[in-house]
Amino acid sequence: MIYDLAHRQVALLVIDVQREYFDPDGPAFAEHARDIVGNVNRLVDAFRANGLPVVFVKHAHRVDGSDAGRMGDFSAPDEEDSFVEGTPRVEFIPELHVEPGDVVVTKRRYSAFLGTDLEAVLHTARTRAVVICGLMTSFCCETTARDAHGRDYEVLFAADAVEGPDLEDADGCEVPHDVVLASTVTALGAGFAEIVTTDEVVARLG
């Protein structure tokens, strides 16, 4: 154990649990996204029960794509646009335990910190540590974890509450998500974050 959370200055970052990843007809569908919803909600409920901050992060781009930048560079030219503001798939899934009045941060890049007011929210709450869960493992979740570490937060990465799709390596061979996850937590655990389970986080919150 690296971070015992005894200081109680900890916030939960729930990243991109949006319909884009759950719609089999959408370009961003992640086959096993639904597998983590239970653990994500357990973390949300545990933080609420302890009176600790929960921040829901949502990815979205302007309808005309004027803010997309390099975010579309690795998509197929004929692929349908995803995460478009105002579309049904950009919204949180109905099963997510988000409530009216909850803090929602909208981002336009992988990191939940870049170009958002997340740090202002965390500073206002006097946050010292963040627990990261959601989608996608090696994209927004990992990038946010690394960025949080660089900003001197204690980072806990909930490995059983993150998901993503299978990927391709440089040779075009399929890399299953469990291999992607193993690589991600190996790199993060070596110098950026403590790798934890949902049970461990809940237990530390008491």
Side-chain angles (χ1 to χ4, degrees):
M1 182 171 66
I2 300 174
Y3 306 122
D4 62 15
L5 305 183
H7 50 68
R8 311 293 287 179
Q9 294 172 280
V10 54
L12 177 66
L13 305 185
V14 182
I15 299 178
D16 299 356
V17 185
Q18 297 166 256
R19 294 180 181 181
E20 289 282 4
Y21 294 118
F22 295 79
D23 184 351
D25 296 324
F29 177 61
E31 183 179 0
H32 297 290
R34 200 159 297 281
D35 294 350
I36 65 163
V37 174
N39 280 342
V40 170
N41 281 334
R42 284 184 62 212
L43 289 169
V44 171
D45 294 346
F47 272 73
R48 286 197 202 283
N50 283 274
L52 298 170
V54 179
V55 180
F56 293 90
V57 180
K58 175 187 291 186
H59 196 99
H61 289 289
R62 298 179 188 275
V63 175
D64 63 3
S66 59
D67 59 355
R70 303 275 65 81
M71 290 299 291
D73 287 356
F74 293 87
S75 300
D78 59 347
E79 189 172 86
E80 178 186 357
D81 289 338
S82 56
F83 298 98
V84 179
E85 284 182 338
T87 61
R89 285 202 299 254
V90 85
E91 301 304 325
F92 295 125
I93 61 170
E95 302 94 320
L96 183 64
H97 290 182
V98 57
E99 299 176 355
D102 282 341
V103 176
V104 176
V105 169
T106 299
K107 65 180 177 63
R108 304 184 190 276
R109 294 295 183 269
Y110 294 133
S111 172
F113 288 95
L114 187 60
T116 75
D117 61 355
L118 176 58
E119 190 135 43
V121 169
L122 297 178
H123 281 179
T124 300
R126 301 185 182 278
T127 301
R128 176 172 159 183
V130 293
V131 175
I132 293 175
C133 65
L135 293 126
M136 294 190 298
T137 301
S138 59
F139 290 85
C140 298
C141 294
E142 179 177 359
T143 305
T144 299
R146 289 172 179 265
D147 206 351
H149 172 270
R151 295 165 189 263
D152 289 329
Y153 292 97
E154 299 171 0
V155 182
L156 296 90
F157 194 84
D160 61 350
V162 295
E163 253 299 342
D166 298 339
L167 300 178
E168 288 186 0
D169 65 17
D171 297 318
C173 298
E174 184 176 286
V175 181
H177 177 261
D178 60 346
V179 176
V180 175
L181 176 60
S183 297
T184 296
V185 298
T186 297
L188 289 179
F192 296 92
E194 181 184 2
I195 309 305
V196 294
T197 65
T198 298
D199 285 344
E200 288 171 340
V201 174
V202 172
R204 290 184 205 180
L205 296 182

